[in-house]
Amino acid sequence: MSWVLALPIMIPFVTAVLAFLLRRSRMGDLASVGGSAASLVVAVVLIAEVLDQGVIAGQIGGWQAPFGITLVADHLSAAMVLITAIIGLSVAVWSLAEIGPTSARFGYHALFQSLLGGVTGAFLTGDLFNLYVWFEVLLISSFGLLVIGGRKYAIDGAVKYVTLNLIATVLFLAGAGLLYGATGTLNMADLRGAVAASPDQGLMTLIAMMLMVAFGMKAAVFPLFFWLPASYHTPHYAVSAVFAGLLTKVGVYALLRVFTLIFVGDVGYTHEILLWVSLLTMLTGVLGAAAQSDFRKILSFHIISQIGYMVLGLALMTPLAVMGAVFYLLHHIIVKTNLFLIAGVSQRLTGSSDLYAIGGLYRTAPLLAALFIIPAFSLAGFPPLSGFWAKFVIVRASLDLGEWLVAGVALLVGLLTIFSMTKIWAEAFWKAHPEGRQPALADLPRSARWQMMVPIIALAVMTVVIGAFPSAFLEFATKGAEQLLDPAAYVAAVLGEARR
Amino acid sequence: MNSLILSVGARFLTALFLLFSLFVLLRGHNSPGGGFIGGLIGAAGFVLYSFAAGVDAARRAVRVDPRAIGVWGMALAIIAGLASALASLDPFTGLWLILADLALSTVLVFDIGVYLAVFGAILTLVFALEETL
Amino acid sequence: METLVACLSGFLVATSIWLMLSGNLMRFLFGLLLLSNGVNLAILAAGRLTPGAPPLLGVKGELPADTMANALPQALLLTAIVIGFGLFAFALALTIQAYRTFGHLEVDRMRIAEPAEERE
């Protein structure tokens, strides 16, 4: 039982070791792709187990919970691991075309794989301190990836990213330490009971707020998002694609986990804050995007506004809303990564990411234009794409609660998202290239064309499939939300039936 | 650094540090100590040597690229964790081989991996920092 | 003893915030280091500070309950210190690189990736 939980974490690290040792040859790149494929297989096995048996838990080293390190997979965790593996494989293939031998020798593939390992570990761990460790693992890898180009631009972005993320890290550590001091446990399932039984509920709320700030900073919610638009447009495109897809979502996942499993004692207070935070996050993100003229900067600001929707689902805390948040999380990772990959191809073809300096892609690269339409419309929430269902569920949930203002903001932000997507479309695809260049996909070397386009097509197909057959995915998300809101199965799987 | 005492003393001290780091590594099984602190002490020996004789000389003295040492250490630790699959136990469960008075275990292999990983990582960092100054 | 350590931890955090408000990256970094030390102290204090027995079982497995400090926060602390060390070393290397690239360490003037002027 434990192995199916441990392997998704171990495979990326084994791959990282191999990729590092082979970094001087082409074999290192292939090791990275092969390792990602193996991760995908294991992730599929894991999700099949979870669908079959419900929540599964395992102990590292055979030390029983709540003393040892616990790994747990419920529907949400298993789905996140699967999506991480999908994104990992797509970006690993895509980066073959972008990452040159210099970056590869510096250890790009090893860092990339250990980032994936850290993300997977964060999704699977059942222990708050272990979550901190995985956050650090992915943080250190992301630092390395951010500066790997070594350009002035990237150093500037990295300074802001590193400093602000370090503060969040220290806050997380402080919160975890105080929580241990107050309850005497760090196992998340055990914490649920311990926090509820604590005589000092005020202290619990204080710690909850510390963790909220720490995770919020990682998730880039309203007052704490400055680092994201300052840094995400600086590194390699493959790096920013995987960051955009996965890093902030780890923060959202942590919020979802901690504020449904552990801190549910004062929902009226904590979730009210989350509600206002999420509304402001959506608005500032989308308005920030409207003011930008760089392909990647627009997309970066849209990450922020989309994070708002997910946090909104958590803040409303009804089964439907949490289901919407889970569905949104899963759909968004695919869409956002794909948009960054498309931005990368566009930059490669036109030579710039400044929307005013490029153009003509619709005429010369119609395939890319068609592939851009799919995730862009999905992001904005057009039916019948995946984003429509995600937004629909969230808006529906807020209407059910009579939160008209919330629903109005969610719809308005969707509208403004269309504005940004239209801007990219008009500038990059529709208008002619200002210098009269005729960028075409055929200009790329044959191998690079395949390596870049196959992942984009695969992710676009997934978006369409989720949109066209939403019932299976919505059902899955419903099950995930049920497990989040009623964690009895989770607690029982970790601590055993005896302590239920 | 032009200190005669340091540059003469560093040679002996580096050897002493390395010996002591091995002692701490092996002692770590049932007493305070272990791979992590051992790796730190071992790395400290070479850091001291790099202060006395320069980074180039210290790199030559280590002989292998410290990054490779770190990565091999990580590989060893993972292998030690995987080994328990052979006995169909949970990952990272310790396996024991008792030869008369000598008790060998995968825990020790893991600890050696940690030792190498820490040793390599610290030296990578410190050498890189010293070279940029 | 706990009160004293708590005050010290608070003092470290206050100092670190003052340092981190500076626009100079190096001072910010020192502030961050102090902050993580303050937090580490707080965790240490959470695990009971006592000069009593080491947290080991006796020969017959008996627990030296009251005199013993909780060993887990110390283990957590060790992990946190190590991680903090790694992160700090990276941040320091980045700072050196930033100084070489920009020739100064004023974060307010690092605007290459975010140009201040807007396009007409």
Side-chain angles (χ1 to χ4, degrees):
Chain A
M1 187 67 88
S2 299
W3 283 97
V4 72
L5 288 163
L7 279 178
I9 306 173
M10 289 170 90
I11 289 176
F13 287 110
V14 173
T15 315
V17 169
L18 282 178
F20 182 83
L21 295 176
L22 300 168
R23 67 189 182 282
R24 286 175 211 287
S25 75
R26 196 71 188 154
M27 292 300 285
D29 306 4
L30 297 179
S32 176
V33 174
S36 299
S39 297
L40 185 57
V41 172
V42 178
V44 170
V45 173
L46 174 68
I47 206 165
E49 287 270 316
V50 169
L51 282 175
D52 189 38
Q53 305 180 12
V55 184
I56 55 178
Q59 318 294 339
I60 292 295
W63 300 95
Q64 286 311 306
F67 307 108
I69 294 173
T70 307
L71 299 177
V72 202
D74 59 359
H75 273 59
L76 176 63
S77 300
M80 294 304 281
V81 170
L82 180 63
I83 297 266
T84 305
I86 291 172
I87 296 300
L89 182 58
S90 312
V91 178
V93 172
W94 198 87
S95 49
L96 295 181
E98 192 196 10
I99 303 303
T102 325
S103 292
R105 257 203 304 285
F106 192 78
Y108 167 83
H109 295 289
L111 286 170
F112 177 73
Q113 290 294 335
S114 54
L115 178 79
L116 292 180
V119 171
T120 314
F123 290 147
L124 283 177
T125 186
D127 182 286
L128 200 60
F129 193 80
N130 204 230
L131 183 64
Y132 165 78
V133 173
W134 291 122
F135 265 92
E136 299 310 301
V137 169
L138 69 91
L139 204 58
I140 290 186
S141 323
S142 70
F143 288 175
L145 287 173
L146 205 56
V147 296
I148 212 162
R151 291 162 307 160
K152 253 183 156 177
Y153 214 51
I155 300 285
D156 189 4
V159 165
K160 290 150 193 171
Y161 177 88
V162 168
T163 48
L164 289 173
N165 271 290
L166 284 180
I167 296 179
T169 295
V170 176
L171 263 179
F172 184 6
L173 180 64
L178 290 181
L179 197 57
Y180 181 79
T183 62
T185 180
L186 282 168
N187 184 300
M188 293 204 272
D190 203 23
L191 271 174
R192 179 179 172 83
V195 166
S198 165
D200 197 350
Q201 285 301 312
L203 181 64
M204 292 301 128
T205 309
L206 175 78
I207 295 171
M209 294 312 295
M210 281 177 99
L211 292 182
M212 190 193 286
V213 172
F215 295 150
M217 218 160 191
K218 304 268 176 198
V221 297
F222 167 60
L224 310 164
F225 61 77
F226 311 107
W227 57 272
L228 194 150
S231 60
Y232 269 28
H233 60 290
T234 58
H236 287 301
Y237 277 84
V239 173
S240 59
V242 76
F243 280 18
L246 296 176
L247 286 201
T248 48
K249 297 342 162 273
V250 180
V252 176
Y253 168 84
L255 280 176
L256 261 176
R257 178 66 73 206
V258 167
F259 283 93
T260 56
L261 180 64
I262 303 175
F263 297 111
V264 286
D266 197 358
V267 174
Y269 182 72
T270 50
H271 288 60
E272 183 74 18
I273 293 178
L274 280 174
L275 182 69
W276 287 102
V277 160
S278 69
L279 291 183
L280 290 167
T281 307
M282 291 195 301
L283 278 174
T284 42
V286 84
L287 292 177
Q292 299 299 323
S293 62
D294 181 287
F295 207 143
R296 273 201 285 185
K297 272 192 192 168
I298 293 183
L299 294 180
S300 304
F301 271 103
H302 273 297
I303 300 176
I304 299 168
S305 84
Q306 306 285 314
I307 295 288
Y309 282 98
M310 300 166 208
V311 178
L312 175 60
L314 170 64
L316 293 175
M317 203 63 182
T318 62
L320 190 65
V322 174
M323 183 268 250
V326 171
F327 187 81
Y328 213 113
L329 196 56
L330 302 178
H331 122 86
H332 174 79
I333 295 176
I334 295 177
V335 166
K336 202 58 182 203
T337 307
N338 205 5
L339 282 171
F340 270 85
L341 295 180
I342 291 169
V345 178
S346 144
Q347 196 268 350
R348 181 83 172 253
L349 292 178
T350 58
S352 174
S353 66
D354 183 355
L355 288 177
Y356 293 115
I358 63 175
L361 285 171
Y362 174 66
R363 193 155 310 142
T364 53
L367 175 65
L368 190 69
L371 287 171
F372 171 75
I373 287 280
I374 294 173
F377 275 18
S378 177
L379 191 75
F382 272 84
L385 293 162
S386 57
F388 166 73
W389 301 106
K391 282 201 171 59
F392 176 75
V393 173
I394 299 263
V395 171
R396 177 70 196 274
S398 44
L399 286 179
D400 281 355
L401 286 173
E403 300 270 8
W404 298 97
L405 173 73
V406 173
V409 170
L411 289 173
L412 175 72
V413 170
L415 208 63
L416 288 170
T417 309
I418 301 177
F419 167 73
S420 290
M421 291 300 126
T422 326
K423 184 171 173 180
I424 297 180
W425 174 257
E427 296 289 342
F429 291 91
W430 194 250
K431 77 161 197 269
H433 196 285
E435 288 159 27
R437 266 169 73 166
Q438 300 274 329
L441 281 176
D443 299 344
L444 293 174
R446 201 182 153 77
S447 62
R449 201 155 72 220
W450 282 102
Q451 287 154 1
M452 286 182 147
M453 293 315 285
V454 169
I456 292 178
I457 292 172
L459 293 177
V461 167
M462 273 177 234
T463 308
V464 172
V465 168
I466 296 178
F469 307 100
S471 54
F473 297 94
L474 289 172
E475 205 172 294
F476 184 89
T478 312
K479 191 87 183 71
E482 274 169 19
Q483 286 173 346
L484 284 176
L485 289 173
D486 178 21
Y490 185 97
V491 174
V494 174
L495 298 178
E497 290 296 326
R499 297 194 44 183
R500 192 167 182 174
Chain B
M1 218 178 280
N2 289 322
S3 156
L4 185 65
I5 299 175
L6 182 64
S7 53
V8 174
R11 291 161 181 270
F12 300 103
L13 282 176
T14 302
L16 202 60
F17 266 102
L18 282 176
L19 196 64
F20 185 60
S21 75
L22 287 180
F23 166 71
V24 170
L25 165 70
L26 295 174
R27 167 190 149 87
H29 197 77
N30 280 326
S31 317
F36 181 80
I37 187 72
L40 274 182
I41 295 171
F46 278 104
V47 169
L48 182 69
Y49 189 70
S50 78
F51 287 162
V55 181
D56 289 339
R59 272 195 196 279
R60 274 198 305 281
V62 182
R63 284 167 198 269
V64 193
D65 180 7
R67 285 197 293 174
I69 298 180
V71 169
W72 278 112
M74 198 166 126
L76 204 59
I78 295 175
I79 291 168
L82 285 171
S84 60
L86 300 177
S88 52
L89 287 166
D90 284 339
F92 289 96
T93 309
L95 300 176
W96 292 84
L97 176 67
I98 313 268
L99 300 169
D101 279 346
L102 187 64
L104 297 171
S105 68
T106 54
V107 182
L108 179 65
V109 178
F110 182 81
D111 236 12
I112 294 173
V114 172
Y115 176 96
L116 292 176
V118 171
F119 182 83
I122 299 280
L123 285 186
T124 307
L125 278 171
V126 173
F127 285 172
L129 279 176
E130 278 191 66
E131 274 164 358
T132 55
L133 289 177
Chain C
M1 187 66 180
E2 270 88 350
T3 321
L4 202 62
V5 173
C7 290
L8 179 59
S9 161
F11 178 72
L12 282 177
V13 171
T15 318
S16 73
I17 288 174
W18 182 73
L19 277 171
M20 285 200 294
L21 291 176
S22 157
N24 186 306
L25 196 56
M26 206 59 213
R27 294 178 68 131
F28 179 91
L29 219 57
F30 288 140
L32 209 57
L33 196 65
L34 281 185
L35 181 66
S36 68
N37 283 339
V39 167
N40 287 345
L41 265 183
I43 298 178
L44 185 68
R48 231 179 297 155
L49 296 167
T50 146
L56 296 173
L57 294 182
V59 184
K60 289 175 189 146
E62 70 273 15
L63 284 169
D66 288 339
T67 52
M68 178 178 94
N70 189 340
L72 191 71
Q74 300 180 8
L76 300 183
L77 207 55
L78 189 63
T79 318
I81 290 174
V82 173
I83 292 174
F85 168 77
L87 291 176
F88 187 75
F90 181 89
L92 194 63
L94 185 69
T95 309
I96 295 173
Q97 196 61 42
Y99 183 71
R100 301 194 147 185
T101 315
F102 304 113
H104 62 85
L105 283 175
E106 297 297 323
V107 271
D108 287 343
R109 283 161 57 206
M110 293 184 188
R111 300 207 62 106
I112 296 178
E114 297 172 285
E117 290 128 305
E118 281 305 311
R119 180 183 298 272
E120 311 313 319

